[in-house]
Amino acid sequence: MDESGRPYVSVAVEGRSDVGMARSVLRHCGFELAGPPLVKDGKSNLDGLIPGLARMGPHRPWVVFRDADSACPVELRALLIADRPHDGSFELRIARSMTEAWLMADHMSFARRFKIRAGSIAAEPDELPHAKRTLLALVADSTSRSVKEDMVRKDGANGPLYASRINDFAEHHWDVARACERSPSLDRTVRRLTEMCHRIRAKTAEPPR
């Protein structure tokens, strides 16, 4: 734990643009990061790590964030982790459909930061079939020229500063609690990680036997 009693936790994510989200969610839930997030550059690379991370134990807790993409999160979780025992110091959290949906769920902050109309953001972003594609389409209509040039290319792909713009928003402008109101997927994640944090704190406070 750090000096304020926040347990340290390690985190692994799919890509660079997930780093700010991971930091904000974990700090919101009461954790302090043990080090920089582990970025695996793709879900296939990330999935191969999950069984090993789940066995780390309470001395080294881990959280993994992964997109569901078009899969059912419950079925995906069962496929990746269901039969592998862990002691409560590991969590695999799956965003529906992508972590971009969690960010857009704080529609007021997202609209202000990226200079778009708040009313153009889906009221239920978890239901979007491809949240990142929707996000890119939204910023392509930004009233800010620099936002458009940084974040989206003319062919609709990521712009050169996509990851840094998204991470800056997630770390410094995104309201996790407000986003939970529009994203049940994020709300479940926050509740689960808060429980995990309390559990680790209690276990650490137990007198040695």
Side-chain angles (χ1 to χ4, degrees), residues 73 93-94 96 126 180 183-194:
R93 301 312 309 175
I94 299 174
R96 183 182 176 194
D126 285 1
C180 286
S183 171
S185 169
L186 176 61
D187 185 53
R188 287 190 294 272
T189 286
V190 166
R191 283 189 280 116
R192 187 72 177 178
L193 293 179
T194 301

Side-chain angles (χ1 to χ4, degrees), residues 4 24 43 45 77 88 91 105 116 128 155 160 165 167 181:
S4 62
S24 289
K43 60 188 176 186
N45 295 333
R77 180 181 175 81
E91 279 290 339
I116 62 174
L128 294 168
D155 63 0
R165 284 267 196 179
N167 285 330
E181 296 173 4

